[in-house]
Amino acid sequence: GVVGAPLDGVPEINISQNPDGSKYINIYYAGPIRAAGGTSQVLPLILGDYARKILGIDRYKPTDDEVERYVEECQIYDEIVTRQYKPTDDEVRKIVRGCPVCINGEPTEEREVAVNRNLPRIPKNRIRGGMCLVLSEGVALKAAKIMKFSKKLKLDWNWLEDIIKVGKADSGDNKLKPNDKYLIGTAAGRPILAYPSRFGGFRLRYGRSRNMG
């Protein structure tokens, strides 16, 4: 279910216990994983919710400390790894509280959280890279696709509606404006073919040039 994990995409799935005594499904993601295949990253969560309904298992009920632990981990992971999409703190909170199964993961980074440490259900303090990637580039980035899959299986994932990015129509001003967002995450050494809305910026040369013989 996860592209490019070293051994297994999902190394462990278990049934854990909420503070009120009810049971929930706990899905661990391996790491490090590539930031690719965002839709396939989320399929174990959807299948886990489907199995949860059939087996009569309750949903994941995070505590406030656990929700803030997810927020802190994603903030720290932003400083370590460049990602395609970085969810806001409120989006992370909505995903953790809304997802009916627990998005968990193995510790992958040497850095540890500073505030929300030594939680009973998250005993290790190191950053869980697989969880951060699935939460941001899986659930947050592919929210619209996930809703389509969930509706086919008759699952209630309508909480994703608050996360789906819908472009609002401008009133009157329809001019095309330069957008330099793609330049922010450019890796060092990668060629930039064109700057936004720059005439003559995109050029492709076919055939051999002088330095090629």
Side-chain angles (χ1 to χ4, degrees):
V2 178
V3 179
L7 296 175
D8 305 278
V10 179
E12 182 182 352
I13 299 175
N14 58 44
I15 297 176
S16 303
Q17 191 169 346
N18 284 308
D20 62 0
S22 59
K23 305 291 185 181
Y24 69 94
I25 292 180
N26 208 355
I27 298 180
Y28 287 80
Y29 282 90
I33 60 176
R34 286 177 54 221
T39 308
S40 62
Q41 291 175 9
V42 184
L43 284 179
L45 301 177
I46 295 175
L47 294 175
D49 188 26
Y50 186 69
R52 181 186 71 84
K53 288 187 66 177
I54 295 174
L55 297 173
I57 300 173
D58 207 342
R59 60 177 292 115
Y60 173 53
K61 300 172 184 176
T63 63
D64 292 339
D65 289 339
E66 288 171 350
V67 172
E68 295 307 313
R69 166 66 184 263
Y70 278 87
V71 173
E72 185 180 0
E73 281 192 70
C74 289
Q75 289 174 347
I76 296 174
Y77 197 68
D78 285 343
E79 302 172 5
I80 301 172
V81 178
T82 301
R83 288 186 286 174
Q84 187 178 354
Y85 177 72
K86 298 177 182 179
T88 64
D89 293 351
D90 286 337
E91 286 176 339
V92 173
R93 293 184 181 101
K94 287 178 182 177
I95 291 171
V96 176
R97 294 188 187 279
C99 190
V101 297
C102 180
I103 308 172
N104 214 325
E106 299 174 338
T108 61
E109 311 300 326
E110 294 300 324
R111 287 187 61 178
E112 295 185 352
V113 292
V115 181
N116 301 282
R117 300 170 61 86
N118 304 322
L119 301 180
R121 291 197 285 181
I122 314 174
K124 296 181 180 178
N125 296 317
R126 288 169 56 200
I127 306 300
R128 299 168 289 173
M131 175 277 294
C132 293
L133 272 174
V134 170
L135 192 145
S136 60
E137 304 206 348
V139 180
L141 188 61
K142 306 291 185 180
K145 280 188 177 181
I146 296 167
M147 282 196 67
K148 290 181 181 178
F149 284 122
S150 61
K151 286 178 180 177
K152 288 181 181 179
L153 295 175
K154 297 180 181 179
L155 302 174
D156 183 15
W157 283 57
N158 292 329
W159 52 272
L160 284 172
E161 290 177 353
D162 296 333
I163 299 170
I164 295 174
K165 301 293 181 294
V166 179
K168 295 182 180 179
D170 295 328
S171 56
D173 186 13
N174 293 321
K175 292 181 180 179
L176 184 65
K177 297 178 181 179
N179 184 358
D180 59 356
K181 185 178 180 181
Y182 67 94
L183 296 174
I184 297 172
T186 305
R190 295 290 177 88
I192 297 173
L193 294 177
Y195 288 91
S197 301
R198 183 79 60 87
F199 283 103
F202 183 68
R203 293 173 293 173
L204 289 177
R205 182 193 296 274
Y206 291 94
R208 295 181 181 275
S209 58
R210 291 185 178 184
N211 64 332
M212 298 286 290

